[in-house]
Amino acid sequence: MPDVNEDYALFLDFDGTLVDIVERPDAVAVDAALPDVLTRLQRRLGGALAIISGRPVDFLDGRLVPHVFDMAGLHGLEHRIAGRLSMCDPDEHPALRELVGRLGKIVADKEGILIEDKGCSVAIHWRLAPHEKDFALATAHAAVEALGPDYRVQHGKAVAEILPSAAGKGKVIERFLHESPYKGRRPIFVGDDLTDENGFKTVNAHGGLSVRIGAGDTIAKVRLGTPADLRHCLSTWAFEGILPFKGDDC
Ligand SMILES: [Mg+2]
């Protein structure tokens, strides 16, 4: 067993970061080697590894069975920190639940627009219907205007999500950094889209390392090309040690 590293805390986005983005969000595929690599890294970091995603925790757990990782789901609305799980209750969001019912009807005749009901948030995807982008964005913003200040729109890649204003990857990473075994460590956060930028902000403020996968404006300090490039780096870190991150060569 390799030495335990107590210097770093590793935070990883899921879609577009650990796995490739696919046209239908429920069709995402996890590389067969990934769960074992993450488990090895988790041990090497003394448990300070967490997945920070917009997906529900249940969904992520299902893709990574039988392994169990710390994680933040729904942009932090639910989380598992040091194995302690805190879930979001959809019953606490009656106005959002009502909206989910209405959205199905609003997009009924829009082929290729997918509504992803996550319980405490809802995402409108237009990856299969790029020409419907303006319609989807207008729908999301009109919905949030009707819901009031307790909700906001989170923009992603070919997706707009309506979620409680309290949610955010930066906030939840901050929360992890106040708890053992994350506390006092240098954070590394790897993400791929707008959703991750406020996570980068938190990590940069803590003197940590922010890593953006792929193209696009970013405040991240280093960039990697693709999820496969990141998986190669994670494997290197898992088997050879947590190295200072230098970019392309991990
Ligand atoms: Mg992502």
Side-chain angles (χ1 to χ4, degrees):
M1 185 62 214
D3 293 342
V4 171
N5 177 299
E6 294 181 348
D7 298 332
Y8 293 99
L10 183 57
F11 300 101
L12 302 162
D13 170 50
F14 186 71
D15 293 273
T17 298
L18 289 174
V19 301
D20 292 317
I21 290 177
V22 290
E23 288 196 332
R24 307 186 71 92
D26 54 354
V28 70
V30 174
D31 182 83
L34 183 66
D36 285 334
V37 167
L38 291 178
T39 297
R40 185 172 267 263
L41 262 177
Q42 181 189 42
R43 282 198 211 117
R44 195 183 266 278
L45 288 163
L49 178 149
I51 295 170
I52 308 291
S53 174
R55 300 270 201 176
V57 163
D58 273 351
F59 178 91
L60 296 167
D61 278 347
R63 299 294 152 143
L64 296 162
V65 281
H67 305 275
V68 177
F69 299 99
D70 276 359
M71 52 181 66
L74 304 181
H75 308 272
L77 290 176
E78 48 191 35
H79 48 74
R80 182 189 293 118
I81 304 178
R84 291 184 307 278
L85 185 62
S86 166
M87 296 294 276
C88 182
D89 182 359
D91 288 344
E92 290 175 9
H93 297 276
L96 183 89
R97 297 313 308 154
E98 199 190 317
L99 167 69
V100 172
R102 270 186 285 131
L103 276 180
K105 291 177 197 127
I106 291 170
V107 307
D109 62 342
K110 298 283 184 184
E111 200 172 331
I113 294 217
L114 302 178
I115 302 297
E116 185 185 7
D117 178 8
K118 305 182 183 183
C120 295
S121 75
V122 58
I124 305 173
H125 296 265
W126 63 85
R127 182 166 295 273
L128 289 167
H131 56 285
E132 299 288 10
K133 176 183 176 182
D134 290 347
F135 168 81
L137 283 174
T139 302
H141 283 278
V144 159
E145 195 149 314
L147 286 171
D150 290 344
Y151 295 85
R152 65 180 179 88
V153 177
Q154 174 69 61
H155 297 266
K157 286 178 178 165
V159 60
E161 183 161 357
I162 298 153
L163 76 175
S165 302
K169 289 188 176 180
K171 279 185 201 162
V172 79
I173 289 173
E174 188 76 51
R175 179 168 189 154
F176 274 82
L177 290 174
H178 280 87
E179 299 206 30
S180 180
Y182 301 89
K183 198 172 179 175
R185 294 177 181 234
R186 187 178 182 211
I188 302 173
F189 177 44
V190 192
D192 74 299
D193 77 5
L194 271 176
T195 318
D196 301 308
E197 291 291 326
N198 82 33
F200 297 150
K201 192 173 168 189
T202 294
V203 162
N204 290 348
H206 280 266
L209 195 58
S210 44
V211 184
R212 167 98 174 204
I213 306 288
D217 288 344
T218 186
I219 59 167
K221 293 184 175 166
V222 292
R223 201 186 288 272
L224 274 178
T226 66
D229 294 336
L230 175 66
R231 291 196 297 271
H232 168 74
C233 289
L234 294 177
S235 182
T236 304
W237 296 346
F239 288 92
E240 293 172 26
I242 305 292
L243 309 170
F245 192 90
K246 296 190 284 293
D248 292 345
D249 60 353
C250 312

